[in-house]
């Protein structure tokens, strides 16, 4: 049986889903750069031929660590589903002579390099400027039109995003973004390979989206993602996922597969995604490209990642379209023939719909809950009225335990303050969207109230959740 080294770190699809699909295709050896979620630790031990947790000293040269471990187990493929390990794994595959994202992987990770590549190819995106110091941010704010978005160049999950509406907010935004990146690193949500990556930032113009010009009904967010792969350097789109509106500044609340768009709109979006991916020069990897939708058919590129979408995007695609993206990618990296879709699949080809909801302590208008609540999925399951045929479940490895205090939402920390991740299966995308809106409105009423003592003594993981598979997507500008 072929051998595969899986490099595990925080973010990406749930580890349990990845392991169950990958282990069918190959003998899996796990290199754990992050602690395994307790909910899947036993499963990992059963499915993996070996598991290694490196010491801090071994992590100092991550590429060498991956290369040596791959050689030790005789791996014929090395892969990761974590944003934070993408570059290291790509470089290791280059050294090993194995299929991987290639030498251009950093262009799909460092937002500064990504935007420069798109700029050189004349692709539509917000005006931007790389910044490394507060003085550079002030200078960029003098050139770019307000409002602006400051984001860390190597972040994920909308971490450290700061909206800057006027010159006098620049210094405060800079300090807060730096603080959040340091806090995120302590939680394990930081780039694992590039030294001092938390010091790199980019500031961008915030463009105005318009979901109403693309969707026939209200409630959709003004951006979508194109899911797919690059196989032998060729972009292979699989489908589109839609969104609910983000929570300020640009924290993702929910992703829905498929996006309910007309065929001509989907074709235009996929065409732009293809240009974006081609401009980066990637070779063999999952792909997740986010695109902002504007009035009168306008579009702007948000980002492309050299990995599959985070949260439950991969399981959603499997449920709706019957495609095991994890298994297909493993097969491709091992040199097996894979039947990728000829073109992006449409809502007409979907069997129902699925969506994932990030539980944040904010209501449907983005306002903070008036009091602290305890996460309690049984109460949610019993008391929230969903549509007939809809099924709601909780992703245990990406959620706090029942009875935990729901973290206060911190706009600067983004998805780091999520309490849970829920998966909904329904008859169609409209129903998923409607049920999610019902769920968001109901949560602050159906969840048990936390006592003042519980709130005051919330553990660090309840003040700022350390769940394993927080969304990896950006949702800006």
């Amino acid at each position: 049986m072929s051998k595969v080294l899986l490099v595990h770190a925080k973010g990406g699809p749930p580890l349990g889903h990845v392991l169950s699909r990958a282990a069918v295709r190959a003998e899996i050896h796990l290199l754990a750069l992050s602690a395994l979620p307790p909910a899947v630790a036993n499963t990992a031990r059963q499915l993996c031929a070996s598991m290694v947790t490196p010491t801090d000293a071994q992590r100092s040269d991550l590429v060498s660590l991956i290369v040596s471990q791959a050689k030790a187990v005789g791996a014929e493929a090395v892969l990761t589903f974590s944003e934070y390990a993408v570059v290291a794994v790509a470089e290791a595959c280059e050294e090993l002579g194995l299929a991987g994202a290639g030498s251009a992987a950093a262009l799909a990770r460092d937002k500064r390099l990504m935007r420069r590549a798109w700029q050189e190819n004349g692709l539509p995106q917000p005006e931007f400027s790389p910044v490394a110091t507060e003085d550079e941010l002030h200078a960029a704010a003098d050139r770019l039109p307000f409002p602006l978005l400051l984001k860390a160049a190597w972040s994920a999950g909308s971490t450290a995003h700061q909206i800057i509406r006027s010159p006098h907010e620049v210094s405060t935004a800079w300090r807060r973004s730096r603080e959040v990146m340091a806090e995120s690193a302590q939680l394990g949500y930081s780039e694992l390979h590039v030294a001092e990556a938390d010091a790199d930032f980019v500031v961008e113009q915030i463009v105005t989206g318009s979901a109403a010009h693309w969707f026939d009904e209200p409630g959709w967010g003004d951006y979508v993602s194109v899911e797919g792969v690059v196989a032998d350097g060729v972009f292979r789109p699989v489908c589109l996922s839609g969104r609910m509106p983000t929570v300020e500044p640009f924290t993702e609340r929910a992703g829905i597969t498929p996006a309910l768009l007309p065929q001509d709109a989907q074709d235009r979006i996929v065409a732009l995604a293809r240009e974006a991916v081609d401009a980066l020069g990637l070779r063999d990897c999952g792909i997740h490209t986010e695109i902002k939708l504007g009035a009168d058919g306008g579009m702007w590129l948000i980002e492309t990642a050299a990995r599959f979408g985070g949260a439950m995007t991969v399981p959603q695609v499997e449920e709706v379209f019957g495609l095991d993206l994890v298994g297909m990618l493993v097969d491709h990296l091992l040199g097996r023939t894979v039947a990728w879709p000829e073109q992006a699949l449409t809502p007409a080809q979907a069997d129902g719909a699925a969506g994932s909801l990030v539980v944040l302590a904010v209501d449907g208008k983005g306002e903070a809950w008036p009091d602290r609540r305890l996460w309690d999925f049984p109460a949610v399951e019993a008391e929230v009225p969903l549509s007939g045929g809809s099924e709601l479940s909780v992703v245990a490895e990406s959620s706090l335990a029942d009875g935990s205090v729901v973290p206060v939402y911190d706009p600067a920390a983004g998805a780091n303050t999520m309490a849970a991740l829920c998966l909904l299966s329904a008859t169609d995308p409209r129903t998923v969207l409607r049920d999610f809106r019902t769920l968001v409105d109901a949560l602050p009423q159906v969840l048990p109230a936390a006592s003042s003592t519980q709130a005051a003594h919330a553990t660090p993981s309840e003040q700022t959740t350390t769940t394993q598979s927080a969304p990896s997507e950006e949702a800006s500008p």
Side-chain angles (χ1 to χ4, degrees):
M1 195 174 192
S2 298
K3 298 179 180 180
V4 170
L5 178 66
L6 174 62
V7 180
H8 166 67
K10 290 193 175 186
L15 180 60
H17 180 91
V18 168
L19 287 177
S20 64
R21 274 62 178 176
V24 175
R25 312 298 180 107
E27 179 180 290
I28 303 301
H29 297 264
L30 188 67
L31 178 60
L33 303 180
S34 297
L36 303 187
V40 297
N42 287 335
T43 299
R45 283 189 283 268
Q46 293 170 5
L47 294 178
C48 296
S50 71
M51 295 171 52
V52 172
T53 301
T55 64
D56 290 341
Q58 290 173 315
R59 294 167 185 260
S60 63
D61 187 346
L62 191 52
V63 173
S64 294
L65 170 64
I66 296 170
V67 168
S68 64
Q69 188 61 24
K71 290 179 177 178
V73 302
E76 299 159 67
V78 180
L79 75 162
T80 187
F81 295 90
S82 169
E83 179 83 348
Y84 305 114
V86 162
V87 175
V89 168
E91 292 185 10
C93 287
E94 288 288 282
E95 188 169 331
L96 290 162
L98 300 176
S103 58
L107 274 67
R109 181 76 179 96
D110 183 341
K111 297 171 180 60
R112 302 166 303 170
L113 300 178
M114 187 186 307
R115 294 228 172 274
R116 285 172 184 151
W118 288 340
Q119 186 179 57
E120 291 169 359
N121 283 269
L123 300 181
Q125 61 179 330
E127 292 186 56
F128 72 98
S129 179
V131 292
T133 66
E134 183 177 342
D135 286 343
E136 288 183 2
L137 179 58
H138 277 285
D142 288 339
R143 298 191 305 271
L144 299 175
F146 288 99
L148 300 172
L149 180 67
L150 176 65
K151 61 170 74 169
W154 297 84
S155 68
S158 301
T159 302
H161 283 23
Q162 291 282 288
I163 294 177
I164 304 173
R165 295 180 174 85
S166 65
H168 76 268
E169 296 179 356
V170 169
S171 294
T172 300
W174 177 255
R175 287 194 298 271
R176 183 58 184 142
S177 286
R178 293 294 302 271
E179 291 170 356
V180 170
M181 287 303 294
E183 294 164 1
S184 294
Q186 293 297 315
L187 296 172
Y189 293 106
S190 61
E191 171 61 30
L192 295 170
H193 175 50
V194 179
E196 300 182 356
D198 59 348
D200 300 327
F201 288 81
V202 63
V203 63
E204 304 175 350
Q205 170 196 15
I206 297 179
V207 294
T208 302
S210 177
H213 283 76
W214 295 81
F215 294 94
D216 293 334
E217 61 282 304
W220 291 92
D222 59 5
Y223 72 110
V224 296
S225 59
V226 181
E227 324 301 346
V229 298
V230 174
D232 299 319
V234 178
F235 175 52
R236 302 277 190 169
V238 170
C239 67
L240 273 67
S241 294
R243 298 293 189 279
M244 290 181 74
T246 58
V247 179
E248 189 173 333
F250 290 101
T251 302
E252 178 167 325
R253 193 195 287 272
I256 300 170
T257 307
L260 197 57
L261 289 164
Q263 184 67 57
D264 61 337
Q266 175 162 313
D267 290 345
R268 292 186 59 241
I269 292 168
V270 170
L272 178 57
R274 185 181 302 280
E275 290 185 275
V277 173
D278 289 349
L280 301 181
L282 300 168
R283 196 175 66 217
D284 294 290
C285 58
I287 285 291
H288 175 79
T289 299
E290 294 190 348
I291 295 175
K292 184 90 163 181
L293 307 176
D296 301 320
M299 294 182 286
W300 301 269
L301 293 169
I302 299 175
E303 75 164 15
T304 286
R307 43 82 183 162
F308 293 133
M312 294 297 284
T313 303
V314 170
Q316 288 165 209
V317 172
E318 180 172 334
E319 178 174 339
V320 171
F321 292 111
L323 296 177
D324 172 12
L325 293 182
V326 171
M328 294 168 75
L329 180 60
V330 169
D331 279 344
H332 175 73
L333 295 177
L334 289 171
R336 300 167 184 164
T337 300
V338 178
W340 302 108
E342 292 297 322
Q343 57 186 8
L345 302 173
T346 68
Q349 297 167 282
D351 181 10
S356 48
L357 178 79
V358 176
V359 176
L360 300 167
V362 289
D363 62 21
K365 297 180 181 178
E367 300 294 329
W369 292 353
D371 54 11
R372 302 296 298 274
R373 295 279 164 166
L374 302 177
W375 174 243
D376 186 343
F377 181 70
V380 174
E381 192 175 29
E383 299 184 38
V384 177
L386 300 178
S387 303
S390 294
E391 295 183 9
L392 185 69
S393 59
V394 66
V395 185
E397 67 177 88
S398 303
S399 304
L400 296 176
D402 290 328
S404 301
V405 180
V406 175
V408 174
Y409 176 65
D410 180 353
N416 285 0
T417 50
M418 65 182 279
L421 182 64
C422 293
L423 177 68
L424 181 75
S425 302
T427 55
D428 56 72
R430 290 186 180 88
T431 302
V432 176
L433 181 61
R434 181 172 63 248
D435 284 349
F436 274 167
R437 295 171 74 177
T438 298
L439 186 58
V440 167
D441 290 340
L443 284 174
Q445 280 74 49
V446 304
L447 290 177
S451 68
S452 56
T453 300
Q454 288 173 313
H457 292 87
T459 65
S461 65
E462 294 166 334
Q463 297 292 1
T464 303
T465 181
T466 58
T467 49
Q468 187 67 29
S469 300
S472 296
E473 294 90 348
E474 297 295 334
S476 56

